[in-house]
């Protein structure tokens, strides 16, 4: 392994972590394996003290130089012989770079722009030493503008434009030739024939078929013997139309042909459902940590409202939101959203009424967060009661739901180092997965009929400590902020727009440890 203590002054790693210590991006500048860097980052989460205003913390081997950035920590890991003044200057430069390449300073934003951040870190640090570079130079280097590339693109675009113009000229020449040929034919037709053709053009396509269903086609000479008679029965013509409709997908033909018969009980085929003008997604993530005794250590809620305009006519959207969230929830709007209108009326609209939202692109317009919730907000609470007799352990699991939310896809996963025997399942089903070394308890739906349930299983040659941490996952229709969409309208005309927007709550992390 790399000897941090005896190495020259060097930055070992530059990283971004969550406030809980979860690594998001880590760029190493010395040879270091994954286990080592994860251990160093885990050690930082235990050493940092949020109550103090320090910018660094030291261990026997390394020094952590850090800066809080909203929901993240920007962190430099250096050896103790490194120049802390230079490290602080490096940290300040990186703190200016991160918002430039990652506008949203949260976990999702870092995941989306992780490669841009790594490239920016590489521009500032080389082999652990800071380069003589500023913010503008880093941005210029990453944009990688090239005069030769611009010139090549201009030449390429001019060739494309010339090809389009040439294609238009050839298409015009072909059209003129066709019109010349059609002119000779049209000159031979009389005015009576032209008027007849005009009447035929204005006549619906199904007139001939309706006439054939009302009156049989008469010929000058009656047919001798038996043969096929056209238009003899309405049922036969409709059967032919149905066959054509199924083969050629002529959805409107059958309804037009049977229009005269609609008064006697016929029905028209329904059109396919139209695409919603605006699609809204109300997504919430739940992070929970419970003790083995069932006490709540931490409950955090993160939510986001995403909007996608599908119809260009609905680009000037105004969204009316209804929510009953407590004052403990912290809301934050997108920079392009009118914050005053949101604060006063809970309305999401563009801050510049002359501008529209992008069409076809999903945009996060509102975020909210509950840093510390109460146990009463839990949609599902899970308790574990292990009892040991010698080397054998009997485990009783229980879930309980007092929430109004409907919980689905409930999964409770218990680590189990040896073979488990399921003895009693009150709700859902449970099984031991030998490949994963876990007991998994599944309940597909938790509603008023099964607000509580229990599971009992036993394990031989097992230490009760090895049964933790227990993982819980589920999905809920609704959200803890009690947020919904009252309506969507056009900001210019006030006309109501059709939309879809169902709230959804998912578990990001739920641990009993």
């Amino acid at each position: 392994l790399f000897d941090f203590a005896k190495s020259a002054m060097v930055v070992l790693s530059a990283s971004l972590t969550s406030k809980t210590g979860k690594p998001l991006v880590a760029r190493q500048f010395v040879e270091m394996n994954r286990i080592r860097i994860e251990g160093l980052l885990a050690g930082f989460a235990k050493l940092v003290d949020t109550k103090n205003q320090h910018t660094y913390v030291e261990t026997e081997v390394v020094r952590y130089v850090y800066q809080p950035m909203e929901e993240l920590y920007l962190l430099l890991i250096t050896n103790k012989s490194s120049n802390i003044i230079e490290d602080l200057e490096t940290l300040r430069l990186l703190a200016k770079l991160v918002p430039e390449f990652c506008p949203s300073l949260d976990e999702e934003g870092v995941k989306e722009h992780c490669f841009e951040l790594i490239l920016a870190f590489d521009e500032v640090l080389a082999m652990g030493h800071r380069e003589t570079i500023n913010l503008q130079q880093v941005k210029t280097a990453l944009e990688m503008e090239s005069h030769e590339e611009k010139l090549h693109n201009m030449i390429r675009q001019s060739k494309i434009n010339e090809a389009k113009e040439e294609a238009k000229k050839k298409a015009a020449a072909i059209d003129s030739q066709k019109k010349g040929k059609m002119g000779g034919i049209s000159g031979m037709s009389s005015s009576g024939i032209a008027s007849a053709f005009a009447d035929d053009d204005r006549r619906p396509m199904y007139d001939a078929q309706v006439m054939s269903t009302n009156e049989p086609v008469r010929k000058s000479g009656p047919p001798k013997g038996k043969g096929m008679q056209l238009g003899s029965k309405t049922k036969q013509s409709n059967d032919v139309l149905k066959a054509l409709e199924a083969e050629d997908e002529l959805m409107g033909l059958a309804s037009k042909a049977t229009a005269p018969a609609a008064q006697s009980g016929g029905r028209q085929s329904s059109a396919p459902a139209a695409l919603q003008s605006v699609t809204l997604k109300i997504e919430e993530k739940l992070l929970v940590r419970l003790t083995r005794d069932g006490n709540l250590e931490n409950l955090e809620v993160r939510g986001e409202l995403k909007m996608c305009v599908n119809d260009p006519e609905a680009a000037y959207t105004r969204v009316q939101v209804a929510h009953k969230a407590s004052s403990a929830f912290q809301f934050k709007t997108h920079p392009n959203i009118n914050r005053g209108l949101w604060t006063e009326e809970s309305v999401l609209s563009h801050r510049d009424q002359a501008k529209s939202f992008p069409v076809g692109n999903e945009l996060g317009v509102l975020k909210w967060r509950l840093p510390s919730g109460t146990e009463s907000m839990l949609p599902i609470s899970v308790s574990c009661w292990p009892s040991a007799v010698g080397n054998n352990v009997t485990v009783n699991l229980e879930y309980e739901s007092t929430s109004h939310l409907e919980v689905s896809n409930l999964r409770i996963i218990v680590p189990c180092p040896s073979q488990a025997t399921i003895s009693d399942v009150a709700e859902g089903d449970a099984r031991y997965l030998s490949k994963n070394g876990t007991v998994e308890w599944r309940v597909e739906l938790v509603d008023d009929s099964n607000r509580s349930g229990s599971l009992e299983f036993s394990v031989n040659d097992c230490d009760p400590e090895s049964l933790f941490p227990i993982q819980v996952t589920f999905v809920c229709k609704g959200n803890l902020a009690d947020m919904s969409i009252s309506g969507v309208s056009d900001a210019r005309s006030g006309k109501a727009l059709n939309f879809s927007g169902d709230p959804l709550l998912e578990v990001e992390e739920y641990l009993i440890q």
Side-chain angles (χ1 to χ4, degrees):
L1 294 176
F2 190 81
D3 191 347
F4 300 132
K6 296 181 180 180
S7 63
M9 294 186 297
V10 68
V11 176
L12 308 178
S13 175
S15 60
L16 282 168
T17 68
S18 65
K19 287 296 181 68
T20 58
K22 180 180 180 181
L24 303 179
V25 169
R27 179 69 171 103
Q28 285 63 254
F29 301 100
V30 298
E31 187 177 354
M32 190 186 311
N33 58 35
R34 179 176 177 177
I35 297 175
R36 180 58 175 158
I37 185 61
E38 288 180 349
L40 290 172
L41 293 175
F44 167 73
K46 298 176 182 178
L47 292 171
V48 68
D49 188 356
T50 57
K51 297 180 181 179
N52 295 329
Q53 297 296 324
H54 295 300
T55 57
Y56 73 95
V57 63
E58 293 183 350
T59 66
E60 295 179 356
V61 180
V62 297
R63 179 188 295 130
Y64 300 96
V65 186
Y66 64 93
Q67 178 175 331
M69 301 185 70
E70 294 187 9
E71 300 179 11
L72 309 173
Y73 278 121
L74 176 61
L75 174 64
L76 293 181
I77 303 177
T78 71
N79 51 22
K80 296 184 69 174
S81 61
S82 179
N83 188 339
I84 190 170
I85 303 299
E86 185 177 346
D87 294 338
L88 288 172
E89 290 297 327
T90 305
L91 186 68
R92 291 191 188 97
L93 179 56
L94 292 180
K96 295 177 182 178
L97 281 173
V98 170
E100 291 289 336
F101 297 98
C102 180
S104 180
L105 295 177
D106 55 15
E107 185 172 341
E108 294 299 325
V110 173
K111 288 180 179 178
E112 184 176 355
H113 302 282
C114 59
F115 291 106
E116 290 90 338
L117 292 170
I118 292 174
L119 292 174
F121 290 172
D122 285 345
E123 291 295 329
V124 177
L125 293 163
M127 301 299 293
H129 298 280
R130 181 187 171 184
E131 297 282 350
T132 306
I133 195 169
N134 56 33
L135 176 61
Q136 188 58 41
Q137 290 172 335
V138 173
K139 292 173 65 176
T140 303
L142 293 182
E143 287 173 358
M144 293 183 290
E145 292 189 358
S146 170
H147 176 72
E148 289 79 5
E149 183 182 2
K150 288 183 178 179
L151 183 61
H152 171 75
N153 291 336
M154 291 173 62
I155 296 173
R156 182 172 176 269
Q157 187 61 41
S158 65
K159 291 181 178 179
I160 293 174
N161 294 337
E162 290 176 1
K164 288 182 178 179
E165 291 296 329
E166 186 67 23
K168 288 181 181 179
K169 291 179 181 180
K170 289 185 178 181
I174 293 173
D175 289 340
S176 62
Q177 291 177 1
K178 288 183 178 179
K179 288 180 181 179
K181 292 180 180 180
M182 292 299 295
I185 298 174
S186 60
M188 298 171 61
S189 61
S190 63
S191 60
I193 297 175
S195 62
F197 277 122
D199 292 339
D200 289 341
D201 290 339
R202 291 191 295 270
R203 188 178 300 140
M205 294 178 63
Y206 55 82
D207 281 356
Q209 182 61 38
V210 174
M211 292 174 62
S212 68
T213 57
N214 293 335
E215 295 182 2
V217 179
R218 300 182 181 275
K219 296 183 179 180
S220 57
K224 296 181 180 181
K226 295 182 179 181
M228 183 176 68
Q229 298 180 0
L230 298 176
S232 61
K233 293 183 181 180
T234 303
K235 181 179 179 181
Q236 291 178 355
S237 62
N238 287 337
D239 290 343
V240 172
L241 285 174
K242 288 180 179 179
L244 290 172
E245 178 183 343
E247 181 176 352
D248 297 331
E249 297 182 356
L250 302 176
M251 296 301 295
L253 188 59
S255 60
K256 290 181 180 179
T258 56
Q263 298 178 354
S264 61
R267 294 185 301 173
Q268 294 184 354
S269 61
S270 59
L275 183 67
Q276 300 292 342
S277 299
V278 181
T279 303
L280 297 163
K281 294 181 181 179
I282 306 175
E283 300 176 346
E284 262 190 357
K285 303 289 185 182
L286 182 65
L287 295 92
V288 180
R289 290 197 177 186
L290 297 174
T291 64
R292 301 178 186 183
D293 299 329
N295 298 323
L296 180 65
E297 273 189 356
N298 181 45
L299 189 153
E300 184 179 353
V301 180
R302 298 174 186 170
E304 185 174 10
L305 173 59
K306 298 179 181 179
M307 179 177 69
C308 182
V309 178
N310 304 314
D311 185 1
E313 296 296 326
Y316 296 87
T317 302
R318 177 188 172 98
V319 181
Q320 179 66 59
V321 180
H323 70 88
K324 300 178 182 178
S326 65
S327 58
F329 279 85
Q330 303 168 0
F331 290 90
K332 186 176 181 180
T333 57
H334 189 276
N336 290 336
I337 297 296
N338 189 329
R339 293 186 180 180
L341 198 60
W342 162 254
T343 304
E344 296 173 4
E345 304 179 24
S346 297
V347 170
L348 298 172
S349 181
H350 205 293
R351 65 177 181 180
D352 187 352
Q353 295 298 320
K355 294 183 179 180
S356 63
F357 289 102
V359 178
N361 294 330
E362 190 174 74
L363 178 67
V365 294
L366 178 67
K367 291 184 179 182
W368 61 95
R369 180 173 176 260
L370 178 66
S372 181
T374 61
E375 190 172 355
S376 60
M377 301 180 67
L378 274 177
I380 286 282
S381 60
V382 179
S383 56
C384 179
W385 306 86
S387 58
V389 179
N391 292 332
N392 299 331
V393 179
T394 301
V395 181
N396 287 277
L397 279 175
E398 183 181 12
Y399 77 82
E400 185 176 6
S401 173
T402 57
S403 173
H404 66 282
L405 299 176
E406 186 178 277
V407 179
S408 59
N409 296 328
L410 174 62
R411 302 288 186 270
I412 302 174
I413 302 171
V414 184
C416 194
S418 58
Q419 179 72 36
T421 303
I422 312 296
S423 53
D424 183 31
V425 185
E427 286 292 338
D429 63 274
R431 57 180 176 171
Y432 172 70
L433 303 176
S434 57
K435 183 178 180 180
N436 301 330
T438 58
V439 171
E440 183 174 334
W441 184 14
R442 299 185 178 187
V443 182
E444 296 302 328
L445 181 64
V446 178
D447 53 16
D448 292 333
S449 63
N450 59 345
R451 287 294 178 186
S452 62
S454 60
L455 165 68
E456 181 178 328
F457 65 91
S458 58
V459 187
N460 298 327
D461 299 327
C462 175
D463 182 5
E465 296 290 329
S466 63
L467 300 173
F468 296 92
I470 298 174
Q471 299 180 19
V472 183
T473 63
F474 55 83
V475 178
C476 291
K477 290 183 179 179
N479 52 69
L480 296 179
D482 202 5
M483 180 177 292
S484 60
I485 306 301
S486 300
V488 178
S489 60
D490 192 303
R492 300 167 298 176
S493 63
K495 178 183 176 182
L497 303 174
N498 57 342
F499 68 95
S500 62
D502 296 326
L504 185 68
L505 171 65
E506 294 180 327
V507 173
E508 183 172 323
E509 183 182 70
Y510 192 139
L511 294 178
I512 304 171
Q513 55 187 5

